[in-house]
Amino acid sequence: MTGRRARALDARPLGWLGALLALYLAVPLGAFLLRFATTGDDRGFGEPGLWDAARTSAVSATISAAIVLVLGVPLGYWLAHARGPLQRVVGMLVQLPLALPPVMSGIVLIYLVGPYTWLGERFGGRLTDSLAGVIIAQTFVAAPFLVIAARSAFAAVDPELDDIAATLGHRPLARFARVDLRIAAPAIRAGLLLTWLRAIGEYGATVLLAYHPYTLPVFTAVQFQSTGIPSTQAPTAVALGTAAIVLLAAGFRLPRRLRGRMTQAASVPEPTHPPAVAPAALSFDLDTRVGDFHLRMAHQARSSRVAVLGASGAGKSMLLRALAGLLGPDVGTVRCGPDDLSRVPVEQRQLGYVPQRHGLLPDRTAWQQATFGVRADGGVAAWWFETLRLQGLHSRLPDQLSGGQRQRVGLAAALSQTPRLVLLDEPFTALDAPVRQELVTELRRLQRRDALSTVVVTHDPQEAAMLADELLVVADGRIVQSGSVREVFDAPASPQVARLLGIENVLEGVADGGELVAGAVQLPVRTWLPAGTPLTWCVAPQDVLLGTSGVAATVVDVADVGTSVLVDVELEGGPALRARCATNSPAARLAAGAPVSVDFRADSVTVWPQAASALDNALR
Ligand SMILES: Nc1ncnc2c1ncn2[C@@H]1O[C@H](COP(=O)(O)OP(=O)(O)OP(=O)(O)O)[C@@H](O)[C@H]1O
């Protein structure tokens, strides 16, 4: 049995249950159509008022749906983004007409627009028993369908897309139209259809508020009460036919060929080299809170290539968002080269921003993404397409691109604007090793060849070293160390920084005059400390030398990790250490249990005159 057939059999009970309901819905319609087809002339098509009622229903439902569309979309957007008691109250109110029996909806509306109310008097009683009354009743009962659909659709739009559009120069209204509305459009269309269908079928509220002019449902009820069921066939058939035509029209999709043509890239201009941008160094002094998180960082960069390194949750992304202007103007000061950007709105900062998940718009081709920016230049975008090796992918949608290609398209979108500086949030995290390596090399080349100024957030010390001259190490919303890559790697400010730099051997010891003592290890240290002072020290695995001289140790484990071999050793009298050796070195051929000697170059050891935990706390 094929897997497909087996799955179909497994799902059979569900199919039966669904079929039962479908049958229940279809049978009365079938029964009506059968009767309609077999009845002679007496179906009621000749009844006076039938076509007027049909016209009233169609016109009023269309006007109601239009009103709901114009007002309901902004309301749905507000409900999706607002927080607090007012939003909750309005959110509930919007749903009330669904729960209220339509007749009761008519009654509450009479209290608002009835002839003796304040509003009714202002309009001379014309808000009831009029087309206006029909529209008021229909709008009230049908509005929730669109508002609820719009709210859900807007809430599902990734807020990061809005942020990207802002950094690409789009103002709030343009972002609403070009990002949110465009993505939410299918759900809004479905909500609008339901609204129109609900409006045209409305009876209860209408009959109380506007008995005249007759809508189709009111006309049908009147026919039923005055002449009996046969003459209701015509209005029922008209209602059914209208609904069927509207549903068919709503379900109509352009042929694939035409849809494909709509996503085709516009003609791609000749590539033009991006204009030269002077390298720009950032300086900032930020103090802001997001929820419980307090970001307090100040720095004056000396280089136009900065990396931000830190553990998960340290505040790296928040730092980039603050620099980009996405946390608002009150976060502190931000300067880029000579320009003060602190009060410049995000759309005008001219900073490129590529977030962690590359932030591509789901319904736009790669080329449309690259030219989406307000200041994007087609020729420059074409140049970046070539430089980032995206040729041939112009008309692909994001879900037709690989992870690496998507990263490149995100980068092309930011770069096509010729920003003064690009903020990259863990640009290569989700990629496999070869693609990641390739993109790191590519970005490094762009930084050097095209003087690209960057701030790169990363977890990976090696990536940081490849892509920056200057390193900021952050923890808990603070900068715990900054300096050139060499300075930071040579002298990590704390055990925590050492760990973030990938230095696994962080150990405890004590001072003994001018020496550090840790079990069997005795090393000279630069500063004299009283004997017994607790110390923390670290040594990078590649600086642990395995050979025939030094402290006696035993090999505990040997792991060949491809490009190097990790050898874990335990010194006689402690501690345990990890060494990294070249794959062709004699140490790489050691086996667990083998005796070995361990040595260190004194200048490769960093010592802090304090226990690790106290040091880490002191630096926060
Ligand atoms: N909208 C928010 N509301 C409240 N807290 C937030 C919000 N966004 C982030 N945080 C918190 O702020 C802290 C810093 O978040 P941030 O995204 O900057 O971390 P990160 O260093 O980039 O981490 P990662 O490497 O995992 O992406 C985290 O503790 C996070 O939970």
Side-chain angles (χ1 to χ4, degrees):
M1 196 181 335
T2 64
R4 207 165 160 185
R5 191 165 149 67
R7 267 198 307 279
L9 285 177
D10 284 348
R12 256 187 203 174
L14 295 180
W16 290 333
L17 289 173
L20 212 59
L21 183 61
L23 201 67
Y24 171 69
L25 298 177
V27 166
L29 292 174
F32 168 78
L33 290 174
L34 188 70
R35 198 57 175 268
F36 181 73
T38 52
T39 304
D41 293 339
D42 193 21
R43 295 183 187 123
F45 279 104
E47 291 295 329
L50 168 66
W51 297 110
D52 283 344
R55 196 176 316 110
T56 302
S57 279
V59 169
S60 58
T62 305
I63 295 173
S64 299
I67 292 171
V68 174
L69 180 68
V70 171
L71 305 180
V73 168
L75 179 57
Y77 186 75
W78 180 79
L79 285 170
H81 293 102
R83 295 284 170 272
L86 182 64
Q87 185 266 3
R88 282 195 293 279
V89 171
V90 176
M92 199 189 68
L93 273 178
V94 159
Q95 297 178 59
L96 265 185
L98 287 179
L100 207 60
V103 174
M104 274 76 151
S105 294
I107 288 172
V108 298
L109 283 172
I110 287 175
Y111 283 106
L112 177 71
V113 297
Y116 305 111
T117 62
W118 181 84
L119 256 180
E121 283 173 1
R122 291 293 157 291
F123 284 87
R126 287 189 301 276
L127 296 182
T128 48
D129 266 342
S130 62
L131 183 66
V134 175
I135 292 166
I136 289 168
Q138 289 178 343
T139 303
F140 187 80
V141 296
F145 290 90
L146 184 128
V147 178
I148 291 168
R151 177 175 65 178
S152 310
F154 284 130
V157 177
D158 185 350
E160 202 160 74
L161 298 178
D162 223 48
D163 290 347
I164 303 283
T167 60
L168 291 175
H170 293 284
R171 291 172 187 279
L173 257 183
R175 297 204 292 272
F176 169 72
R178 304 188 66 173
V179 178
D180 299 86
L181 197 55
R182 190 165 157 148
I183 296 174
I188 292 175
R189 247 193 321 269
L192 183 65
L193 178 69
L194 287 178
T195 300
W196 190 87
L197 291 171
R198 177 67 188 89
I200 201 161
E202 162 49 28
Y203 172 76
T206 316
V207 85
L208 285 199
L209 205 66
Y211 193 67
H212 292 102
Y214 284 165
T215 58
L216 206 54
V218 176
F219 176 82
T220 312
V222 171
Q223 287 296 111
F224 180 71
Q225 282 152 12
S226 57
T227 58
I229 194 143
S231 63
T232 61
Q233 282 190 2
T236 308
V238 170
L240 259 177
T242 312
I245 290 167
V246 170
L247 284 169
L248 280 174
F252 173 77
R253 300 193 67 190
L254 282 176
R256 183 182 278 272
R257 193 167 38 84
L258 283 177
R259 269 185 284 140
R261 213 174 280 165
M262 287 171 75
T263 55
Q264 290 282 309
S267 63
V268 176
E270 277 300 302
T272 47
H273 195 286
V277 178
L282 264 182
S283 62
F284 55 87
D285 187 350
L286 306 169
D287 187 345
T288 188
R289 285 175 192 276
V290 178
D292 295 336
F293 191 76
H294 191 178
L295 183 91
R296 226 181 320 149
M297 296 186 189
H299 184 69
Q300 183 150 16
R302 285 174 277 155
S303 157
S304 60
R305 296 184 286 255
V306 176
V308 182
L309 189 70
S312 184
K316 305 182 296 294
S317 301
M318 207 172 281
L319 168 64
L320 285 204
R321 292 171 58 72
L323 295 174
L326 293 165
L327 299 184
D330 301 321
V331 295
T333 54
V334 179
R335 297 183 71 89
C336 185
D339 302 322
D340 186 353
L341 304 181
S342 316
R343 313 299 305 175
V344 177
V346 54
E347 305 91 47
Q348 290 163 29
R349 287 201 180 190
Q350 295 183 31
L351 299 178
Y353 174 61
V354 184
Q356 245 169 34
R357 284 173 295 140
H358 54 72
L360 298 187
L361 298 156
D363 56 343
R364 281 183 167 82
T365 63
W367 177 251
Q368 287 167 339
Q369 316 262 0
T371 50
F372 184 61
V374 167
R375 293 178 301 275
D377 177 278
V380 173
W383 190 87
W384 283 114
F385 249 66
E386 265 189 31
T387 305
L388 294 169
R389 285 179 288 115
L390 289 165
Q391 302 101 313
L393 304 177
H394 296 78
S395 52
R396 299 263 188 100
L397 291 168
D399 58 5
Q400 298 167 328
L401 295 168
S402 73
Q405 289 164 344
R406 275 183 234 150
Q407 292 284 8
R408 289 194 183 111
V409 173
L411 200 52
L415 293 172
S416 300
Q417 298 246 97
T418 317
R420 34 176 140 209
L421 180 138
V422 191
L423 307 165
L424 296 139
D425 196 349
E426 300 190 31
F428 313 123
T429 307
L431 306 177
D432 58 41
V435 180
R436 187 185 177 123
Q437 216 55 63
E438 190 189 334
L439 283 183
V440 168
T441 310
E442 207 159 272
L443 184 56
R444 188 177 158 83
R445 186 169 53 86
L446 297 174
Q447 287 174 323
R448 278 154 180 78
R449 194 189 69 185
D450 302 300
L452 196 63
S453 302
T454 50
V455 176
V456 181
V457 156
T458 176
H459 284 122
D460 181 346
Q462 206 179 329
E463 195 172 285
M466 283 287 282
L467 297 175
D469 308 321
E470 194 170 349
L471 211 52
L472 305 185
V473 185
V474 301
D476 295 329
R478 312 274 189 285
I479 295 176
V480 290
Q481 188 170 8
S482 63
S484 74
V485 170
R486 185 50 38 224
E487 282 164 1
V488 175
F489 272 89
D490 278 353
S494 75
Q496 184 190 25
V497 174
R499 282 189 210 99
L500 288 169
L501 295 175
I503 301 173
E504 289 140 286
N505 300 315
V506 178
L507 303 150
E508 305 266 315
V510 288
D512 186 6
E515 286 200 326
L516 145 72
V517 179
V521 178
Q522 276 196 313
L523 289 167
V525 287
R526 279 176 223 136
T527 26
W528 187 93
L529 291 163
T533 308
L535 296 173
T536 306
W537 62 288
C538 79
V539 57
Q542 61 272 22
D543 295 322
V544 176
L545 310 171
L546 302 182
T548 51
S549 66
V551 183
T554 308
V555 175
V556 177
D557 190 19
V558 181
D560 188 342
V561 292
T563 50
S564 60
V565 175
L566 301 177
V567 184
D568 288 345
V569 295
E570 197 164 296
L571 306 188
E572 269 173 26
L577 287 169
R578 171 164 287 178
R580 184 185 289 274
C581 320
T583 49
N584 58 1
S585 67
R589 290 189 290 279
L590 287 166
V596 70
S597 293
V598 176
D599 209 353
F600 317 92
R601 277 201 336 267
D603 63 355
S604 66
V605 175
T606 304
V607 178
W608 302 283
Q610 215 166 2
S613 50
L615 251 167
D616 284 338
N617 286 337
L619 280 161
R620 275 179 196 162

